[in-house]
Amino acid sequence: MNIRVTLGFLVVALVLGGAVYGLDKFNIGPTATANANATATSTASQQPQVFQFDDQKVNAFELHQGDTAVRIEKQSDNTWKVAGTNDLANRSSFTSLIVRLSQLKATRTVGNPGTDLSQYGLDPVKESAAAVLDDGTRYELDLGSKTPVQTGTYAKKADAADIYIVADQLSTDLERLVTDPKEPPTPTPLPATATPAVSPQPEGTPTPTP
């Protein structure tokens, strides 16, 4: 074999070997991206479970925001009414909130939260939601401030010290239902427009030519 060809192969091999070493040493290229994606997937699959209970066993649901409180109660015919009134509760909105609370998962848990809950808007508590089951068990979630980067809302179980970050939608729905918990009125259907009757033409009247 020609010595120049042999030297050429050696140079190419050395260059390729050096490139592979550099990519591995500085973690450049697809390997770093693959590791990042794997980490993100792993984190997403490990969202902390906050509550888990049977939403069908809830017979009362309470919302608190500041000095305002709303309680709805399940009736014997499975309708929901605002406590202290004869008003039907906004069934679809309350049901959605109860179902989400019954299987609530947090985005993450706050590590080493300390004892000063005021920094999370949890002392005093900004707002709360509580589901009461038919056996008297109570599941209450306290909600505080939004995170500094607006990625969620600080929350904690009323009977535990752990602090979580949950989706802002919970707080948004709670605020809306505290303000107006009643079932929206059914829209009144518009009256049907009468169709004018066509009078029959007298017998023997010639049909007009178009």
Side-chain angles (χ1 to χ4, degrees), residues 88-109:
L88 289 173
N90 189 330
R91 184 184 180 96
S92 60
S93 296
F94 274 108
T95 299
S96 172
L97 190 55
I98 292 170
V99 169
R100 279 180 286 154
L101 194 69
S102 72
Q103 300 296 325
L104 183 62
K105 287 186 176 182
T107 305
R108 65 183 178 89
T109 304

Side-chain angles (χ1 to χ4, degrees), residues 194-210:
T195 304
V198 179
S199 301
Q201 293 183 342
E203 187 175 349
T205 303
T207 302
T209 303

Side-chain angles (χ1 to χ4, degrees), residues 176-188:
R176 178 170 54 83
L177 289 171
V178 163
T179 304
D180 186 12
K182 296 187 295 184
E183 183 75 15
T186 304
T188 304

Side-chain angles (χ1 to χ4, degrees), residues 44-66:
S45 65
Q46 294 174 4
Q47 293 179 319
Q49 188 83 46
V50 182
F51 287 136
Q52 190 165 27
F53 57 86
D54 186 352
D55 62 276
Q56 296 299 313
K57 293 184 177 181
V58 176
N59 64 7
F61 193 62
E62 300 172 2
L63 300 178
H64 294 264
Q65 184 184 43

Side-chain angles (χ1 to χ4, degrees), residues 153-171:
T153 299
Y154 291 117
K156 68 181 291 292
K157 293 188 283 189
D159 58 354
D162 291 336
I163 296 179
Y164 304 94
I165 295 175
V166 299
D168 290 336
Q169 191 62 42
L170 275 174
S171 178

